[in-house]
Amino acid sequence: MFQTIEDIIQLADNSNDSISEIMMKQEEMISGRSRLEIWSRMESIFDVMERAIEKGTTENVVSRSGLSGGSAVKVAEYLELKKTLSGPTILSAVKNALATSEVNAAMGIICATPTAGAAGVVPGCLFSARDTLSLTKEQQIRFLFTTGAIGYVIANQATVSGAVGGCQAEIGSATAMAAGALVEAAGGSAMQSAHAISFALQSMLGLVCDPVAGLVEIPCIQRNATGASIAMVAADMALAGCEFPIPADEVIEAMYNVGKTIPYTLRETALGGLAKTKTGKSMAQRISSDKQ
Amino acid sequence: MKYSSVFEIIGPVMVGPSSSHTAGALVIGRLARKMFGRKPDQAMITLYGSFANTYHGHGTDIAIVGGILDLDTNDEKVIQSFELAQQMGINIQFELSEIQKRHPNTAQIELSDAHGKLVIVGISLGGGKVQIISVNGFELNLTGESPTLLVLHEDRAGMIAKVAGLLGNHNINIGHMEVSRKDRGSEALMAIETDQLVSEELMREIEDMTHILMVSGFTC
């Protein structure tokens, strides 16, 4: 049983198990379900993620409020030009994250990882890394179990709720989950995954939850995209051998403590930040008048 | 442990946009429906905090009604929950409250029909996970993830032993148990989360014991 990232590292060192294996063994023990049942449930989640990305990059997905839609298609077309600044691996992760989040905003079917508001980061990175690293289907499913283990620690030791801990608790957690899993998929050690978690989360401490008109669109969709890019960079830094001097569990604890100091107006109540800009407020007015 | 399964982290599969304000809200509505045990004629929903401030944007209202109709979080019909409720003759009323509760994502749901009424208060913890923190005014902490037995009884000595003993005889294992009362000597409510399902006959057997007022069971 593991409660912290340190526990995971110890388990991985002693047993030579990957983080995905550690997560599956714990799930078998806690749920009492068979490996086959657990595996096929994650496969069905994988299919949901793949369909959402497919839908978001090919159909003209527009949200009920009209505030979002079409960004994923734009990035997909831009990627065809081949001479992009941030390169195909990062940009296709961004494209996938935008697609998933735009489908979510339009009340389509997605999988919360760990929440719906941050649902684009993990699949965004997975469905890009699978090409770059030519991952087998098994490795792709294992990727999701690894993100699950990292999210399990953050959710139980801290929070994954924007209303409780700000956007750092949602997008920050999702980015850390993806970064750690990218390292394992690329062959890195559990310790390197822990550093990737820290690199990802340290870059988002204090990130407020300030949704325009209270929707899960602006800036949530864009933060899924930048979160996916940060996860890729955090993973590469760890794979390069860079180390973050503060252990991952303490970075997670810092995120939790910072979250508690974020004012109520910046914890998903749409009463501060971008939600209170001139344009943000006018969007909220327009939408609430449509609603009458 | 707030979260025990990996599928509470990588999951739920759901209709967007928000796991706390859409999926979590639906689960609270669904638990109310399961506890009530039948289709209500009337549903009165009060939203607090972040639920009240952002319900329209997140579809929290649509989701709670979807749960009251016993729909699942990944059901595409959730989007038409208001029309479906109307077709089924369920009167839906919403109220926004200024009162600041302990948790920002709090909803109270009152379901009623000619035979009775149920009032629950639920909170959405994020990632689709919820807790029911009060049932008909009794303070509790229920997740609804395992089969749950609610036993309303007179506040007398030995009641817990009697009910737990009977469950034990039918080798029903108790995972989590709470007893809550409003004031001494009047009524108390036992909330028992069990590993196995409790049969109708066993529930009736418990109900027939002295000082037991009402027994109901549900599982999500």
Side-chain angles (χ1 to χ4, degrees), chain A residues 3 27 30 38 41 45 104 107-116 147 152 155-156 158 161 214-216 264 268 291, chain B residues 1-7 9-17 19-21 50 54 56-58 74 100 105 125 127:
Chain A
Q3 316 252 352
E27 185 67 19
I30 287 185
I38 293 167
R41 184 166 174 189
I45 285 173
N104 178 58
M107 286 190 106
I109 307 270
I110 52 91
C111 178
T113 49
T115 65
T147 61
Y152 187 89
N156 281 316
S161 162
L215 307 185
V216 191
Y264 176 68
E268 212 173 288
K291 162 180 90 186
Chain B
M1 247 356 190
K2 291 183 275 189
Y3 300 81
S4 55
S5 161
V6 68
F7 296 111
I9 306 296
I10 309 300
V13 170
M14 51 172 278
V15 170
S19 30
S20 52
H21 288 60
S50 178
T54 64
H56 182 73
H58 289 126
N74 57 5
Q100 211 162 53
N105 304 338
L125 300 170

Side-chain angles (χ1 to χ4, degrees), chain B residues 124-194:
Chain B
S124 179
L125 300 170
K129 199 163 173 55
V130 307
Q131 257 178 10
I132 301 303
I133 56 173
S134 118
V135 176
N136 289 343
F138 291 98
E139 304 289 324
L140 297 160
N141 267 306
L142 291 174
T143 60
E145 275 146 20
S146 37
T148 306
L149 201 62
L150 292 174
V151 180
L152 186 68
H153 57 93
E154 286 160 33
D155 183 24
R156 294 280 184 288
M159 295 307 293
I160 297 172
K162 262 200 264 183
V163 174
L166 195 58
L167 290 176
N169 300 347
H170 289 73
N171 45 55
I172 306 269
N173 186 41
I174 295 174
H176 168 87
M177 178 166 183
E178 286 181 61
V179 184
S180 158
R181 63 182 176 188
K182 291 183 194 160
D183 31 59
R184 278 157 66 109
S186 66
E187 284 179 356
L189 183 69
M190 264 186 252
I192 309 170
E193 289 187 359
T194 57

Side-chain angles (χ1 to χ4, degrees), chain A residues 27-55:
Chain A
E27 185 67 19
E28 282 172 302
M29 205 175 50
I30 287 185
S31 69
R33 293 206 168 78
S34 71
R35 172 66 62 108
L36 187 64
E37 263 177 290
I38 293 167
W39 185 270
S40 55
R41 184 166 174 189
M42 195 60 94
E43 266 183 328
S44 66
I45 285 173
F46 177 91
D47 295 339
V48 167
M49 290 176 167
E50 195 164 41
R51 275 199 302 274
I53 289 174
E54 182 58 29
K55 183 176 163 120

Side-chain angles (χ1 to χ4, degrees), chain A residues 14-32:
Chain A
N14 305 347
S15 64
N16 244 309
D17 278 345
S18 62
I19 300 176
S20 59
E21 192 58 31
I22 291 165
M23 185 71 247
M24 282 189 275
K25 282 185 175 153
Q26 176 162 302
E27 185 67 19
E28 282 172 302
M29 205 175 50
I30 287 185
S31 69

Side-chain angles (χ1 to χ4, degrees), chain B residues 31-104:
Chain B
L31 284 173
R33 168 59 181 262
K34 295 274 181 191
M35 282 191 214
F36 195 62
R38 57 197 186 276
K39 178 177 82 68
D41 296 339
Q42 175 87 19
M44 175 63 196
I45 298 136
T46 311
L47 301 178
Y48 300 88
S50 178
F51 269 2
N53 288 327
T54 64
Y55 78 92
H56 182 73
H58 289 126
T60 305
D61 49 350
I62 295 171
I64 288 181
V65 173
I68 290 170
L69 300 180
D70 207 6
L71 298 178
D72 203 341
T73 55
N74 57 5
D75 189 328
E76 275 168 342
K77 291 197 299 299
V78 167
I79 300 177
Q80 298 111 16
S81 65
F82 275 89
E83 293 80 20
L84 291 169
Q86 213 176 15
Q87 284 158 19
M88 298 159 104
I90 303 175
N91 179 299
I92 307 280
Q93 272 171 0
F94 271 90
E95 211 194 289
L96 303 181
S97 163
E98 296 295 319
I99 305 166
Q100 211 162 53
K101 293 278 187 179
R102 192 175 47 80
H103 195 280

